[in-house]
Amino acid sequence: MAILFGATIVLLVRAAFERLKLVTVVSAAVLASLSAALVLRVFVSVFGNPADIAPSSTATSQVGLFLLGLVYVLTTSLWIFDTVHERQRRDTQEAARRDGLTGLYTRTAFFELASNLVGRHAARSC
């Protein structure tokens, strides 16, 4: 699980660099904490008292891991909702820029794209 969470952290960090969002950074931090806690739990189960990690245990480490898991579920849910919302917003914006019948850009979108292209060309030639 810790290795899987580590791979997910890499994906979240890449997403955070693409578009800096607080929910992505918080999700990556919580996931890193949960991954570290799971690694510590493995060490406790191998070298420590196995009763401390039993599901019915009220040890501080077990309660902390449970609460960290709860925070992980909440932040991951928020991150998923944010990602879906952003994708829907982009799709809606793109659909508004295109004609429904032909699929071509609308007049406004065409002039915006042309203006951006001319601006980039002018910046390169200077």
Side-chain angles (χ1 to χ4, degrees):
M1 294 271 303
I3 293 170
L4 179 63
F5 286 160
T8 307
I9 291 167
V10 170
L11 293 174
L12 283 173
V13 168
R14 285 183 186 166
F17 283 123
E18 288 175 8
R19 59 180 184 119
L20 188 59
K21 295 276 241 173
L22 179 63
V23 70
T24 306
V25 173
V26 170
S27 293
V30 169
L31 195 55
S33 301
L34 186 59
S35 180
L38 287 173
V39 168
L40 288 174
R41 185 173 182 192
V42 168
F43 283 114
V44 168
S45 69
V46 172
F47 301 113
N49 184 6
D52 287 343
I53 61 167
S56 60
S57 174
T58 57
T60 305
S61 60
Q62 188 70 1
V63 173
L65 187 62
F66 173 76
L67 292 175
L68 193 57
L70 181 65
V71 171
Y72 163 73
V73 169
L74 292 173
T75 56
T76 302
S77 298
L78 288 174
W79 177 75
I80 289 170
F81 288 138
D82 179 61
T83 303
V84 168
H85 171 62
E86 181 67 25
R87 183 171 290 160
Q88 287 177 341
R89 186 194 63 77
R90 271 191 317 227
D91 290 347
T92 303
Q93 186 177 21
E94 182 64 23
R97 295 177 62 164
R98 293 191 177 263
D99 180 58
L101 183 61
T102 63
L104 298 174
Y105 283 112
T106 61
R107 183 174 190 263
T108 305
F110 177 76
F111 283 119
E112 285 175 7
L113 291 170
S115 175
N116 290 340
L117 186 61
V118 168
R120 277 190 264 150
H121 182 67
R124 275 192 215 158
S125 62
C126 292

